[in-house]
Amino acid sequence: MKKIFLIIVAILLSLPTFSRNNNDLRTARTNSDFLLNLIHLRYVDQVELVPLVERGTIEMLRHLDPHSQFIPARDVQRANEALQGAFYGIGVSFQIFNDTVLVMEALSGGPSERLGIQAGDRIVTIDGMNATGDSARNDFIFSNLRGPRGTVVTVGIFRNGEVRDFRIVRDRIPIHTVEVFFMENENTGYISVDRFSQRTAAEFRSALQSLTQQGAENIILDLRGNSGGFMDQAIEMANEFLEGNLLIVYMEGANQPRQNNMSTRGGMFRTGRLVVLVDERSASASEIVAGAIQDHDRGIIVGRRTFGKGLVQRPFVVPGDSSEIRLTIARYYTPSGRSIQKPFNDGFEQYFEDLMNRFTRGELVHPDSTMLPDSLRFFTSGGRVVYGGGGIIPDIFTPIDTNRVSDFFVDLRRTGTLNNFIMAYLDRERQNLLETYPTFEDFYNNFQVHGEFAEKFERFAENAGVKRNRIRMPMANSFLTQMLAEMRRDVPIEESETYRDFVEKILWSEEQMREFLMNLAEAEDANQRRLQESSDEFILLNLKALLARNLYGVRYFFQTTRSMDHAYQRALKVIQDDSLFRQLGISQ
């Protein structure tokens, strides 16, 4: 019973023994002990107390802030894998296609690659269990392919019309966070960082060194969609761009004295032009890097306002069952004193709907001037004005690209038709493609998506029921007719005339309603026709990128689509703009 009590007060026991209000602490402990005893001894039914306390702990943390959380012991390992930068398994990336597990890639250096498993293989059994049909589910595949290091799993691989068993010894499989880096031209390199795990800083340094050795004098650092991770990795990354003894970030809380984190040495890329790409999904550690670069006038931030996650969580292991409480202990502040954390005073629901609200109010298309009040003005090292209020506001705004989002493209994504076509196409053409285009450069420069390939895709999409044009006018007319019929059917005959008069009085007449809907439908049809050309090009480019990813590796997807990535193209222009660097006073 005592261990159960420890769970609910574990966070209190993990903290220092002093408290700002010891009476409150004693009262809280007494009350929680009393309640659990009362339930155990007096409640009408037998109750499992541990799950009850787990739910109570979750609810308690929900009343603190949006990011404090309780992780049950059964979920701790999975929750930490992405941050630890590794898991134990057989070393393949896979996709479920037509109720079959299709190997997308045997990860370099992993046990599957060493045994000769390759892209295009199908996993049909795992330890004698069927892995096709209803069994081909992510949870079944993950739980049976992963396991402790050194353990053995036998996988049945279907290839060339026959099944062959592979006995695979599970091993440590690294989860890389810096997979995409390349030279855009003779003096500009690009690095994308997916998140901040335990190995991110080392991977980043390796990529940066490779690019500088190839002649990179300018760097585009892409932190878009990077949700963060370990703070120390962000500090090490920022280090590579800064001179020594500069403040990178500080943290402070009611029970956490201010802690400054300084650059400790001259970095690998202290001089040279730097552009950092961010967007509304860049959070936490990403914002630390972007904030430090901006506040020290080291580079130009391009994109859209970042997420605004500036609360510091520290993990506390709960005694007894090894579950974990990640408690917010402080806030992050940039060198100029800006709090990265956006407000959450309007409730957690509004907080997590913030990105959708930004879209609906147009902030992703036009910069939001309401975010720039004088009360939130701060100054960079060189005296430039920057703004707080949550997130990092970029120096150069790039709107989200809505010109490619036609209904046809949305339907293709929603139904998985793009990916299904590529899988079916590779089933027939993989070997031929690899023989014709042995390297990515051969493929990128010579493979044509227009013509026969595009026609095959059109037929595939049509057979899958995804139609290119949805004409809205007949749909709107049908909807209106059905709605009016339902309205009349729900009202007694003797009241129908009165009801119709009432509807017309508070809304408009049936004729006015029909005209309004028809005009809306006609305008949207015209808009879809306008979007179609740009959308079609983007669809074909995505198909080419999916082929590149499947044939040559994950890193080549972005290299294929970058020509239509407007933010990236803007970054290329910014990095060549001498006058902009001088105007902003950015070091080069």
Side-chain angles (χ1 to χ4, degrees), residues 281-466:
R281 295 176 299 125
S282 306
S284 188
S286 299
E287 296 172 291
I288 289 174
V289 174
I293 296 299
Q294 189 177 53
D295 281 3
H296 288 301
D297 300 300
R298 175 62 189 90
I300 296 177
I301 313 299
V302 173
R304 296 181 292 278
R305 179 166 65 97
T306 60
F307 182 86
K309 196 271 185 184
L311 296 177
V312 186
Q313 282 74 52
R314 177 181 166 188
F316 296 87
V317 177
V318 177
D321 74 344
S322 299
S323 55
E324 192 172 278
I325 291 174
R326 293 182 181 175
L327 186 72
T328 297
I329 62 167
R331 283 182 166 82
Y332 290 128
Y333 296 86
T334 72
S336 65
R338 294 179 286 169
S339 172
I340 291 173
Q341 181 61 43
K342 64 187 176 185
F344 48 90
N345 304 332
D346 294 333
F348 297 170
E349 188 173 338
Q350 283 292 315
Y351 178 84
F352 287 113
E353 290 178 355
D354 176 56
L355 297 188
M356 180 56 69
N357 294 334
R358 292 192 203 183
F359 181 80
T360 54
R361 69 173 178 256
E363 184 190 330
L364 303 187
V365 179
H366 306 286
D368 186 357
S369 60
T370 64
M371 291 295 301
L372 310 176
D374 287 345
S375 60
L376 296 175
R377 281 162 57 101
F378 293 82
F379 297 92
T380 69
S381 299
R384 277 194 306 137
V385 174
V386 288
Y387 289 89
I392 304 299
I393 298 174
D395 304 305
I396 304 295
F397 176 81
T398 58
I400 192 169
D401 184 8
T402 58
N403 287 328
R404 63 187 57 165
V405 189
S406 66
D407 283 345
F408 185 50
F409 178 64
V410 170
D411 287 345
L412 290 170
R413 290 287 298 272
R414 177 180 55 81
T415 58
T417 303
L418 290 171
N419 213 45
N420 290 342
F421 169 73
I422 291 300
M423 294 298 101
Y425 186 78
L426 285 172
D427 254 1
R428 302 185 305 271
E429 302 291 342
R430 181 185 296 272
Q431 196 57 41
N432 180 48
L433 287 168
L434 288 172
E435 289 174 1
T436 307
Y437 311 105
T439 68
F440 168 73
E441 287 70 23
D442 293 328
F443 174 82
Y444 183 75
N445 292 324
N446 299 303
F447 182 80
Q448 297 299 314
V449 291
H450 295 91
E452 183 183 357
F453 179 80
E455 290 168 8
K456 288 180 179 178
F457 171 69
E458 289 276 354
R459 288 195 296 272
F460 185 92
E462 189 171 337
N463 291 335
V466 183

Side-chain angles (χ1 to χ4, degrees), residues 78 87 107 163 185 211 252 290 339 350 370 410 437 543 560:
R78 178 63 62 85
F87 64 91
L107 303 181
V163 177
N185 53 45
L211 295 179
E252 192 171 24
S339 172
Q350 283 292 315
T370 64
V410 170
Y437 311 105
L543 290 171
T560 307

